[in-house]
Amino acid sequence: MSFRSEVHDWLDANCPASCRGPGEVPGGGTKVSMTDDQRLWIERCAERGFTVPTWPEEYGGAGLDKDDLVTLLQEMRALDIRAAVSGMGTMMIGPTLLEYGTEEQKKRHLPRIARGEVWWCQGYSEPSSGSDLASLRTRAEDQGDHFVVNGQKIWTSGAFNADWIFCLVRTDPDAPKHEGISFLLFTMDQPGVTVRPIRLISGASPFCETFFDNAIAEKDDLVGELNKGWTVAKRLLQHERSGIGMLASGTNRESGAELYDLARRFAGEDDGRIADADLRHAIAGHYIDAEAFRLTQRRTVEESQGSTPGPATSIFKYYGANLRKERAELQINMMGTRGIGWQGDDFNPSELAMTRAWLAGKAGSIAGGSNEVQLNIIAKRVLGLPD
């Protein structure tokens, strides 16, 4: 039996019906509520190594090569199957540890990520740093067998659910700002860590302020060399921005059918087509752009030999953020006044959810590095333009 046939049969037999089609992919962890089907799907995929299919088997992966990875992704898409687990563990800190972690760090952290047992958050941005990340002030003092961390981070996505944080800290305050920075891992469930959710215009609070007051990071959880964390930090950002992890998770799907169904409901049909010609063309144009983006990501996976590309990852971050905002704008516009409901019995739950999703999506061009930062990287590092 070919790998394609084998994986198709396995996916079809093992994926619960509720884990197919559009829906949320859990990020794992001890504080996150999941359905029984989601937990079962994680367990089954983890046994097969399909939560992190390209990782080596000894760390919880399936050790798939490029061709088999593409086959797995194609079969997941054909069966409309969502990934079992996603998030910063599988897409950001996991791949970074594979490159920069010690063998002990890999064995201790990666299998737990692969099994969806831990939720990670990112301690990068600070209130006084803005987009100049290297000017960070959070400090870690060497206390022999551990570091003591003091300072503040902001926009810490999911910190209220996180078990662990990967954090940039200054370990040499006298060094130039891009030096003297170290990359630490430490637990969030300790007395020295305080998390305060930030309420957004969408009403949700996915981002947080995070305060460190003599928090403890063990020496064994220093990733890379002391004072050389900027190199590790930049590599992790490439993993975050590449979109490869999102593609590999099977979650990067733009459905033209969903937009079409919404348009039929609010704009009506004319001989089987969306009645409004301008809206019809806008939806078709968006779907073409989204499909071209998906195919570009897939081609990048096929050409990457399992590695993450460099500065070109900023293209994925920039374009993907704009696509998601464009889709939300299309949805809201076609709904008219039904798309601006905030609360009350005059709007049904799906309409209220759409309004809040549209507002939340505004953060996409800021989170993970603003669009302006991405354009600067593309101009300098990809196109080679002068400063």
Side-chain angles (χ1 to χ4, degrees):
M1 179 183 292
S2 68
F3 178 74
R4 182 177 297 278
S5 297
E6 178 189 353
V7 78
H8 177 97
D9 292 346
W10 186 90
L11 289 169
D12 199 28
N14 286 276
C15 182
S18 65
C19 295
R20 306 187 188 209
E24 190 169 350
V25 177
T30 60
K31 305 174 185 177
V32 182
S33 60
M34 287 184 270
T35 67
D36 290 342
D37 279 354
Q38 286 174 326
R39 293 186 183 281
L40 177 63
W41 184 221
I42 291 175
E43 291 173 5
R44 289 176 175 174
C45 282
E47 289 176 3
R48 187 69 187 260
F50 283 170
T51 54
V52 282
T54 60
W55 291 12
E57 293 182 19
E58 61 263 38
Y59 305 132
L64 298 189
D65 61 21
K66 175 190 66 177
D67 292 336
D68 285 346
L69 170 63
V70 171
T71 297
L72 173 62
L73 299 180
Q74 290 173 342
E75 294 306 314
M76 289 179 67
R77 187 175 181 86
L79 293 167
D80 207 15
I81 287 175
R82 301 197 301 273
V85 66
S86 185
M88 296 185 189
T90 59
M91 293 193 292
M92 294 168 65
I93 187 60
T96 303
L97 286 177
L98 283 171
E99 290 188 65
Y100 290 97
T102 65
E103 187 62 24
E104 188 275 336
Q105 288 170 344
K106 293 176 186 177
K107 289 181 177 178
R108 184 153 51 94
H109 292 293
L110 295 181
R112 295 190 65 207
I113 293 173
R115 295 192 298 267
E117 294 176 354
V118 59
W119 179 301
W120 288 83
C121 65
Q122 178 181 24
Y124 272 29
S125 298
E126 296 189 3
S128 60
S129 296
S131 295
D132 184 13
L133 178 59
S135 65
L136 62 91
R137 297 181 182 179
T138 296
R139 296 181 61 171
E141 297 180 5
D142 191 335
Q143 297 295 319
D145 62 346
H146 66 276
F147 295 97
V148 174
V149 181
N150 285 279
Q152 179 186 357
K153 299 292 180 177
I154 199 165
W155 311 123
T156 318
S157 301
F160 50 88
N161 281 327
D163 306 292
W164 281 75
I165 187 171
F166 49 92
C167 191
L168 287 184
V169 296
R170 190 160 296 283
T171 43
D172 185 352
D174 298 321
K177 70 176 185 179
H178 286 88
E179 301 175 19
I181 293 173
S182 297
F183 192 105
L184 294 179
L185 316 176
F186 53 94
T187 61
M188 294 287 285
D189 187 17
Q190 58 171 297
V193 178
T194 302
V195 175
R196 296 177 185 169
I198 300 171
R199 190 174 180 84
L200 305 184
I201 59 172
S202 65
S205 303
F207 305 132
C208 304
E209 294 179 285
T210 308
F211 301 87
F212 308 121
D213 183 13
N214 293 329
I216 302 300
E218 301 296 336
K219 276 290 185 65
D220 289 343
D221 281 316
L222 169 69
V223 180
E225 297 181 45
L226 184 69
N227 298 325
K228 301 296 182 182
W230 187 245
T231 299
V232 183
K234 290 191 297 182
R235 189 59 169 156
L236 182 139
L237 287 175
Q238 289 173 347
H239 285 296
E240 177 183 14
R241 294 167 181 168
S242 69
I244 290 179
M246 184 65 75
L247 179 65
S249 74
T251 61
N252 190 31
R253 298 193 300 263
E254 291 282 357
S255 173
E258 292 174 25
L259 285 177
Y260 177 72
D261 289 343
L262 195 65
R264 282 195 309 170
R265 175 184 168 193
F266 287 99
E269 279 187 294
D270 180 12
D271 196 22
R273 300 189 304 174
I274 298 170
D276 187 315
D278 289 339
L279 179 58
R280 187 167 64 241
H281 293 156
I283 291 175
H286 173 79
Y287 182 68
I288 290 169
D289 289 344
E291 186 67 5
F293 183 58
R294 185 187 68 81
L295 291 172
T296 301
Q297 287 182 302
R298 193 178 81 179
R299 188 184 71 244
T300 303
V301 172
E302 294 171 350
E303 295 173 351
S304 69
Q305 298 295 336
S307 63
T308 299
T313 58
S314 289
I315 299 172
F316 295 138
K317 170 61 174 66
Y318 174 80
Y319 198 77
N322 285 349
L323 269 179
R324 288 186 288 275
K325 289 173 67 174
E326 178 186 285
R327 181 185 178 90
E329 292 288 345
L330 266 174
Q331 292 171 324
I332 291 296
N333 286 339
M334 71 177 69
M335 292 171 66
T337 57
R338 308 307 301 171
I340 56 174
W342 182 254
Q343 64 184 9
D345 296 336
D346 291 337
F347 301 91
N348 65 45
S350 65
E351 291 169 346
L352 295 175
M354 193 76 73
T355 303
R356 293 170 187 267
W358 167 63
L359 290 169
K362 301 298 183 182
S365 57
I366 301 174
S370 70
N371 277 7
E372 291 75 15
V373 168
Q374 306 312 317
L375 289 174
N376 280 335
I377 294 172
I378 293 167
K380 294 178 182 179
R381 305 291 178 82
V382 180
L383 300 178
L385 299 178
D387 291 341

